[in-house]
Amino acid sequence: MDWGTLQAVLGGVNKHSTSIGKIWLTVLFIFRIMILVVAAERVWGDEQQDFVCNTLQPGCKNVCYDHFFPISHIRLWALQLIFVSTPALLVAMHVAYKRHERRRRFRNGEKIDIEELKNEKIHIRGPLWWTYASSIFFRIVFEAVFMYVFYYMYDGYQMPRLVKCSDWPCPNIVDCFVSRPTEKTTFTIFMLAVSGICMMLNLAELCYLVIKVCMKEPRKTT
Amino acid sequence: MDWGALQTILGGVNKHSTSIGKIWLTVLFIFRIMILVVAAERVWGDEQDDFVCNTLQPGCKNVCYDHFFPISHIRLWALQLIFVSTPALLVAMHVAYKRHERRRRFRNGEKIDIEELKNEKIHIRGPLWWTYASSIFFRIVFEAVFMYVFYYMYDGYQMPRLMKCSDWPCPNTVDCFVSRPTEKTVFTIFMIAVSSICILLNVAELCYLLTKFFLRRSKKAGNSKQQPNHENKEETKQNEMNELISDSCQNTVIGFSS
């Protein structure tokens, strides 16, 4: 069970998404999950090995590392990607339920060719519209929450070269040096930018859905 | 044989589950197995390498690590996930047996197209209901047992930064420092929370099954008062055959159906 399996799961959701939703999914897979797996994990791979403190005191490095990096960027991004992907499963479940109901109705009332039922396109209307809109809303919320958590936990988005640590058992104040700070800053800003783009895509999709509903309403009344 | 293979096996079980069962399976795969593989295993990856003791005494670090971490969190979670997934296989075996019996009965009595028989939906009734309910009960028991084992083994769910060790050959008392204690605490609490959600889902599913069972019994009692027995038997047999002939629906929660 890894990112490939998540991709297989979400690929099925893709069929029922709007065009903007499909673009969002592509950006998610190529610019976030793939970058995480092929690049970012290597950059953060030696984060504790090469975190060096100017002391011989055993345990000081462990304690300082734990103080300045309570949760690693990589794990936060992994959690963010999983939480942001999950609302799409609500849509998938609703579509599966709708399809099941449609088949049951036709089986009771009328004989329809099974192949036609299999390939039917489910339109985003009625209760499904609300499920879809809620899933987009939750995506936006999760993105914003994680961006804030990053900002709060690391006092901004820049990785410092030097951190000064005075937790026990470190004697007085100890200088600790972070491994690859510039590369980490670059990737953090990149992931933040793509996160921002994903949020804007989600907002655009939400606006598109709302406009579609509003345009359908006056047509119904006239 | 890895988590992917387990997913394939359990994906087949998904077809015969209730809706709550399908949600449980999704939570299991995405929020537990996936988190374990992509995140937690990296956090615990360097647990012994970066377990540092304030001593030069050879063997002291090994002994202290072994004392404080008899079984690593990662291994306990892997065992928990395997034990919790396994009861579903009882249901799969029972369904396979039921399907085999149905085919044998119809092959002896009447010629039905094999393709139609293949896609039949098995309803959770009779002996299968008991198998399904037992599997949910065992899931709940295993989850609870493992949560207790975690609590007992590690004196709670928080990972301390510092452990004081005085096992031989460590001289007197030695300070030992754990690697990434905060990150480990966060993930332990996350996994406990998802475990609890899974227990709640299983309890809800059990209640749903019990409710369905009692509703069906009261409906049967009501029906048998209205009609004589032999007419009922003919009707149910005809219904069953109609189901087999016309029912070709497969539940398709994406990614987890075979």
Side-chain angles (χ1 to χ4, degrees), chain A residues 5 9 41 62 66 75, chain B residues 7 42 50 182-183 246 254:
Chain A
T5 325
V9 169
E41 277 183 357
N62 281 30
D66 186 61
R75 257 70 71 184
Chain B
Q7 185 195 341
R42 310 285 163 89
D50 286 335
T182 310
E183 206 165 357
S246 62
I254 39 147

Side-chain angles (χ1 to χ4, degrees), chain B residues 2-257:
Chain B
D2 59 356
W3 293 115
L6 186 74
Q7 185 195 341
T8 315
I9 293 170
L10 290 181
V13 175
N14 201 27
K15 278 187 287 185
H16 313 291
S17 304
T18 61
S19 314
I20 305 176
K22 288 175 180 133
I23 295 171
W24 172 83
L25 212 69
T26 308
V27 169
L28 184 83
F29 279 124
I30 295 188
F31 289 100
R32 295 176 78 177
I33 296 181
M34 195 164 168
I35 294 283
L36 185 79
V37 170
V38 308
E41 277 184 355
R42 310 285 163 89
V43 176
W44 269 266
D46 57 4
E47 50 178 335
Q48 193 168 349
D49 282 336
D50 286 335
F51 182 77
V52 171
C53 291
N54 188 3
T55 181
L56 291 173
Q57 172 64 48
C60 177
K61 175 184 134 163
N62 282 32
V63 158
C64 292
Y65 179 82
D66 186 61
H67 177 94
F68 288 108
F69 300 102
I71 306 175
S72 171
H73 287 67
I74 292 284
R75 259 69 72 185
L76 275 175
W77 281 324
L79 284 171
Q80 181 180 14
L81 289 167
I82 290 170
F83 272 90
V84 153
S85 314
T86 313
L89 296 177
L90 289 174
V91 177
M93 286 185 222
H94 195 148
V95 164
Y97 170 74
K98 209 174 174 181
R99 189 173 283 153
H100 176 78
E101 279 297 299
R102 208 183 270 199
R103 288 181 191 190
R104 203 171 51 82
R105 239 175 35 227
F106 279 113
R107 223 179 296 123
N108 292 340
E110 195 176 316
K111 293 235 175 269
I112 299 282
D113 181 29
I114 300 299
E115 286 306 317
E116 284 168 357
L117 271 176
K118 246 192 217 175
N119 296 332
E120 72 198 30
K121 183 172 161 64
I122 307 266
H123 293 280
I124 304 174
R125 282 180 206 138
L128 183 60
W129 185 94
W130 288 100
T131 308
Y132 197 85
S134 321
S135 79
I136 298 175
F137 174 75
F138 280 116
R139 271 187 227 162
I140 297 170
V141 165
F142 288 141
E143 292 271 21
V145 163
F146 273 95
M147 278 170 82
Y148 175 72
V149 163
F150 261 105
Y151 187 82
Y152 176 76
M153 214 179 255
Y154 292 104
D155 277 326
Y157 299 120
Q158 194 186 12
M159 182 70 75
R161 255 185 195 182
L162 164 73
M163 293 169 162
K164 291 190 181 286
C165 175
S166 52
D167 295 356
W168 186 89
C170 301
N172 309 305
T173 304
V174 166
D175 291 335
C176 290
F177 300 89
V178 179
S179 151
R180 308 180 203 254
T182 310
E183 206 165 357
K184 286 178 179 172
T185 306
V186 166
F187 274 95
T188 304
I189 291 172
F190 180 87
M191 296 293 267
I192 292 288
V194 184
S195 223
S196 314
I197 291 170
C198 283
I199 289 180
L200 286 171
L201 283 169
N202 285 327
V203 168
E205 197 177 2
L206 204 54
C207 294
Y208 169 73
L209 283 178
L210 284 167
T211 310
K212 240 176 76 168
F213 178 74
F214 286 121
L215 279 175
R216 209 180 301 132
R217 266 180 100 178
S218 59
K219 215 181 279 180
K220 262 190 195 166
N223 278 347
S224 65
K225 280 181 191 163
Q226 293 171 11
Q227 288 174 1
N229 271 344
H230 66 273
E231 276 183 11
N232 226 10
K233 274 186 189 166
E234 284 290 323
E235 222 179 76
T236 47
K237 200 177 177 187
Q238 186 63 44
N239 282 342
E240 215 179 83
M241 281 174 61
N242 285 343
E243 256 179 48
L244 280 169
I245 291 165
S246 62
D247 194 336
S248 64
C249 173
Q250 276 190 37
N251 289 316
T252 50
V253 174
I254 39 147
F256 300 131
S257 59

Side-chain angles (χ1 to χ4, degrees), chain A residues 24 80 83-84 87 133-147 195 198-207:
Chain A
W24 172 82
Q80 181 180 14
F83 273 90
V84 152
S134 321
S135 81
I136 298 176
F137 174 75
F138 279 116
R139 272 186 227 163
I140 296 170
V141 164
F142 288 141
E143 292 272 21
V145 163
F146 274 93
M147 280 167 82
S195 223
C198 283
M199 260 177 90
M200 281 194 288
L201 284 169
N202 285 326
L203 280 167
E205 197 177 4
L206 203 55
C207 294

